[in-house]
Amino acid sequence: MNAPIMTKAKPVERELSSKKTALILEGAMQEFLEHGYAGARIDRIVEAAGVSKATVYRHFPDKEALFTALIQQMSCRKNIFELQSQQSFEEAPSVFLKRYANTMLENVAEDPQILTFLRIIIGESGRFPELARAFVTNIEKVSLDFLTQYFSNHPQLQIADPEVTARAFIGTLIHFVMIRDVLQSGDLLPIERDRLLESLIKIIIN
């Protein structure tokens, strides 16, 4: 029996599937930003993506799967919390923590899509808690786990409770973003970003 003829069909299929997934997510992003989670409709996502409804459901079974995929994509693309490799432990803590915080704040504040997504998640979390859980799982938990490891293992730091320190650090940054950018109330609780970061880092290192 002759050996089966190998073709390049599978790589081509994967490439087409990847392109269709990107189109679907782009259409879903447009729909969620315009109509929120509850108001989003698969039919409009199908129209915006230029694919069939069957194709959408083949990639994503429901709106929750689409929204979760967008959170994952956003986390990977924007690298919101600038997760680092072993290089992080070679820098002075003051240098790394300031760069880490500035990157997170700049990425969030300069991307209206992220801010809108945060508002959607907060606004819909009562009815759709799975949206908030997806955000916590893919962004919040990952960054907290990383910083906990950083505070535990950096040779220049002697942190009594690394997990609490990581939560305090991230929590301060999130509160800053929430007040200034999400709730648009920075004028009510004004504080300069540099002043906040310098004092926060000094508290942790000292």
Side-chain angles (χ1 to χ4, degrees):
M1 180 180 295
N2 294 332
I5 298 175
M6 302 300 293
T7 69
K8 295 184 178 180
K10 287 186 178 180
V12 171
E13 288 174 3
R14 284 196 295 269
E15 182 178 350
L16 290 174
S17 178
S18 177
K19 289 181 179 178
K20 288 182 178 179
T21 298
L23 289 172
I24 293 168
L25 290 177
E26 184 178 343
M29 174 70 80
Q30 175 183 326
E31 179 69 7
F32 286 128
L33 292 179
E34 185 173 349
H35 299 283
Y37 183 79
R41 296 291 179 266
I42 294 295
D43 288 342
R44 289 196 292 259
I45 294 174
V46 168
E47 183 178 355
V51 299
S52 69
K53 184 178 290 189
T55 297
V56 172
Y57 282 119
R58 187 161 57 247
H59 289 77
F60 305 98
D62 51 32
K63 283 199 302 182
E64 181 185 346
L66 274 167
F67 200 89
T68 300
L70 285 172
I71 291 175
Q72 294 170 338
Q73 181 188 69
M74 195 174 296
S75 174
C76 293
R77 186 181 75 247
K78 295 297 295 184
N79 205 11
I80 297 174
F81 294 100
E82 199 186 39
L83 303 182
Q84 297 291 315
S85 62
Q86 189 64 31
Q87 178 185 353
S88 308
F89 297 92
E90 298 172 0
E91 293 182 311
S94 59
V95 174
F96 168 71
L97 290 174
K98 186 172 184 179
R99 181 163 54 84
Y100 183 102
N102 275 318
T103 299
M104 177 260 184
L105 294 175
E106 288 167 4
N107 281 340
V108 172
E110 294 176 4
D111 192 330
Q113 288 186 347
I114 291 180
L115 293 176
T116 301
F117 253 65
L118 287 175
R119 295 188 183 102
I120 292 173
I121 291 168
I122 293 169
E124 302 283 15
S125 60
R127 290 185 295 171
F128 306 102
E130 62 274 9
L131 302 184
R133 292 179 63 83
F135 177 82
V136 171
T137 298
N138 289 282
I139 296 180
E140 187 85 2
K141 186 178 186 303
V142 174
S143 61
L144 282 172
D145 288 347
F146 171 78
L147 273 183
T148 298
Q149 181 185 19
Y150 176 84
F151 289 134
S152 297
N153 298 330
H154 197 288
Q156 296 180 30
L157 295 174
Q158 298 294 324
I159 305 293
D161 194 326
E163 183 180 358
V164 170
T165 304
R167 285 174 179 259
F169 188 83
I170 290 293
T172 300
L173 300 182
I174 291 175
H175 182 266
F176 180 79
V177 170
M178 288 292 296
I179 295 297
R180 190 192 65 175
D181 301 313
V182 177
L183 301 179
Q184 301 181 41
S185 300
D187 59 319
L188 299 179
L189 295 173
I191 187 171
E192 295 180 0
R193 186 174 77 179
D194 289 344
R195 175 191 168 197
L196 178 70
L197 295 185
E198 292 291 343
S199 296
L200 177 62
I201 292 170
K202 285 180 181 178
I203 290 172
I204 290 175
I205 293 178
N206 294 335

